[in-house]
Every structure is written in C-alpha cells, then in structure tokens.
Amino acid sequence: MALVVICGQPCSGKSTAAKCLAEALNESECKQTVRIIDETSFHLDRNQSYANMPSEKNLRGVLRSEVDRSVSKDNIIIVDSLNSIKGYRYELWCLARAAGIRYCVLYCDVGESHCRKWNEERREKGEAAYNDVIFEDLVRRFEKPDRRNRWDSPLFELWAHNDRVERSSIAIVDVVSYLTKKADSKSRDVKILQPTIATQNTRFSEANSLYEMDRATQEVINAIVEAQSQSIGGPLASISIGQGLPNIDISRSVGLPELRRLRRTFIKLTGQTSLSGRPPPSDSNSAKRMFVDYLNRELGTIA
C-alpha cells in the first residue's frame, strides 16, 4: 500500500521515529501489515557498513533489494536508514511507482550539533554509535530532501531536537493520516504513484529474460535494416517483424547508429527497473512487442 522513506543525519532520531510511526499505524484503522526495514534487520554494523564506498554501496543494495521484495499493495514498508543520497531516494521512489503504491518521505530535521551530541551520548552509554571520522563524513555528504523533487514528495518534517519523538508528534500524525486516508476523486492531496510504460512489465531479472531481451531487440534491428536496404531509398510505411506482432511504423530512413542508440536506451531502461515490478514472460515475442512499442513511440516523437 505504501513506502515510507525515513531520512536524516546520523543520530537524528530516525529509528525512534520509525518505531513510533509503526506503532501509530498499528493503532490506527490501517489493516495493512507494517514492517520496518533497517540495518539491524540484517545484523549490519554501522561503522563497518559506512567504512568505505564499496561497503556503503553494498548496504544500500541489500536494503533496496529487501524493499523490492517487500513492497506490495498489502503492506506498508518503512525504510529506516540514512537514505542521505538523493539518487538513492529516487531509486526507492521508482520501486514505489512500479508497485503502484503511495510514497512519502519523513525527514528527521536535526542540527549537526545535536546529532553529534547524541552520538557521543550513545558511545558513553555503550550503545551503537558512529566513530568520529565516519560521523563527520556522513554529515558532510548528507543531501537534504527537497519537496520540489518528486522523489522527496510529499515531505513530512520531524524536529526531534525540539520535541520528543512520540506517536502523537505532529509529523507522525500527518504521515499516518496521509497513509490511511481513503484515495478517491475528492482526496487530491493523496497521491498513488502510477507505473509508467518503463516500469510496467519490463522487469527482465532472470537470466533467460535478459538473453531473450538481447536477442529479440537485435532481431528487430536486423529486420529494420534489411527492410530499408530492400526499399532502396523508397518510402517505408511500416515493417512487419512477424505474425501476431505489431508493425514498426517508419516515415523516414533510420540509420544503424540511431537504431543502436535506441536499442541501448531501451535495454538501459529495462535494466534500471529490473528491481521493481513483476517479471514479464521470458519469451522472444513479448520482448519484441515491447521493443516495437518503444520504437514506434520514440520514432513517432522525433520523426
């Protein structure tokens, strides 16, 4: 039903906010299962996970894969992590869009000095804390969410250093209201993301699907090149690539470099969405049909 991305500086109260939000949702009229996905779920040490770029990239990959497996219209997923990179928040937004669910960002807006103090207090108590080098690096690289970005919207801000983070906190209450409000023609403030043609039925995650995608798109390119060579400069209204498949509509000559560029872009699009949505049938005709639809749209646009 929904994906909630919690973000903020290290030691800004994100885990407390995630717990309070989950409790508030369970106490509401929400009938969906509420689940928190975080580093501790995978027994990941925060200092080891952020010690270097490869480790940090691996951490994000683990969390993203778990979100991908978990998002559906039957549950609410709360991602409790730094989520400090806007590009990563965009990837999570894409997962929500592909699943056709609600999405929002809960930002724990706490000043660096407060975060630094809370981190030191945790260390003194023997609780999980960041070492100073990693803490300062994460603070420096944090990219603050901007509600003008679609992947940061709607944005709910929680000021944990001013008030205690509780289930009754204004931001928590607002998020619960947004997630549980009935979506209809009257509720314009509730947005359910809709899958696009780039995210619907284009998940080629299995090896066989990847093979079929590569082979099928190349066969389509070969058919176009052959048809154009046989026309000897004459007009081409459409090109047939097989029975039961749509024709390729071409109103001008399309060179091989352009065709290769379109093919690379199409494969890249499907690769970017391979983490979301349901895998399509791993057969050649399905791959050709999607590629032809893509070509007709792109060639029709730039013709």
Side-chain angles (χ1 to χ4, degrees):
M1 174 191 174
L3 176 62
V4 181
V5 174
I6 297 183
C7 75
Q9 297 278 17
C11 294
S12 58
K14 298 182 296 298
S15 295
T16 302
K19 182 180 178 181
C20 289
L21 176 58
E23 292 175 351
L25 285 168
N26 286 325
E27 292 179 357
S28 69
E29 299 179 355
C30 172
K31 298 180 180 179
Q32 281 73 23
T33 301
V34 181
R35 182 188 172 199
I36 298 175
I37 295 178
D38 56 9
E39 288 96 334
T40 58
S41 302
F42 301 93
H43 307 288
L44 298 171
D45 179 82
R46 61 181 62 190
N47 286 310
Q48 292 179 357
S49 298
Y50 293 101
N52 50 58
M53 285 303 171
S55 297
E56 185 175 337
K57 184 178 180 180
N58 178 69
L59 167 65
R60 291 197 298 268
V62 169
L63 295 177
R64 182 179 56 211
S65 296
E66 188 61 26
V67 171
D68 175 36
R69 286 190 290 267
S70 304
V71 289
S72 73
K73 295 184 179 180
D74 300 321
N75 57 27
I76 296 177
I77 300 299
I78 302 172
V79 187
D80 172 23
S81 185
L82 290 177
N83 299 316
S84 57
I85 300 175
K86 60 184 179 180
Y88 182 60
R89 295 197 295 271
Y90 172 73
E91 292 179 10
L92 295 176
W93 177 83
C94 287
L95 295 182
R97 181 179 62 173
I101 59 177
R102 303 183 196 197
Y103 172 92
C104 68
V105 174
L106 177 58
Y107 172 38
C108 294
D109 190 357
V110 178
E112 295 179 14
S113 59
H114 288 88
C115 294
R116 192 174 290 107
K117 178 182 177 182
W118 290 347
N119 187 55
E120 293 174 355
E121 290 176 351
R122 288 184 182 180
R123 186 184 301 140
E124 292 172 357
K125 295 178 181 178
E127 300 176 353
Y130 297 92
N131 69 48
D132 292 337
V133 174
I134 291 179
F135 179 87
E136 296 301 331
D137 178 60
L138 292 175
V139 167
R140 177 181 59 82
R141 293 190 291 113
F142 181 76
E143 296 176 342
K144 184 177 179 179
D146 184 343
R147 65 180 71 253
R148 292 174 297 182
N149 298 327
R150 52 185 176 175
W151 55 86
D152 289 333
S153 177
L155 178 65
F156 300 91
E157 297 178 82
L158 179 65
W159 292 277
H161 62 285
N162 292 333
D163 305 297
R164 292 185 58 186
V165 180
E166 300 175 329
R167 285 169 288 181
S168 58
S169 298
I170 295 177
I172 300 292
V173 173
D174 289 344
V175 172
V176 172
S177 175
Y178 178 77
L179 297 178
T180 58
K181 185 179 297 184
K182 183 178 179 181
D184 52 34
S185 58
K186 297 181 180 179
S187 55
R188 295 183 178 180
D189 56 332
V190 177
K191 184 177 181 180
I192 299 178
L193 300 179
Q194 298 299 322
T196 65
I197 191 169
T199 58
Q200 280 186 310
N201 298 327
T202 55
R203 184 182 176 182
F204 279 66
S205 56
E206 298 177 357
N208 189 49
S209 296
L210 290 170
Y211 169 77
E212 292 295 345
M213 167 67 75
D214 185 75
R215 188 183 66 155
T217 52
Q218 186 58 55
E219 288 180 0
V220 172
I221 295 298
N222 293 341
I224 296 175
V225 172
E226 182 180 358
Q228 289 187 141
S229 65
Q230 293 178 354
S231 68
I232 315 178
L236 270 176
S238 64
I239 300 174
S240 174
I241 60 172
Q243 185 177 2
L245 295 172
N247 291 339
I248 303 171
D249 300 321
I250 294 181
S251 58
R252 62 179 177 85
S253 177
V254 184
L256 185 58
E258 182 178 1
L259 290 172
R260 287 174 175 170
R261 178 183 59 79
L262 289 169
R263 177 174 179 263
R264 286 195 302 269
T265 302
F266 175 75
I267 293 177
K268 182 178 179 180
L269 282 172
T270 60
Q272 288 176 342
T273 56
S274 63
L275 291 174
S276 54
R278 183 182 58 184
S282 55
D283 62 275
S284 179
N285 282 346
S286 295
K288 288 180 181 179
R289 186 174 294 107
M290 286 188 291
F291 187 41
V292 169
D293 288 342
Y294 172 79
L295 287 176
N296 283 337
R297 187 175 68 254
E298 292 300 309
L299 294 175
T301 301
I302 62 180

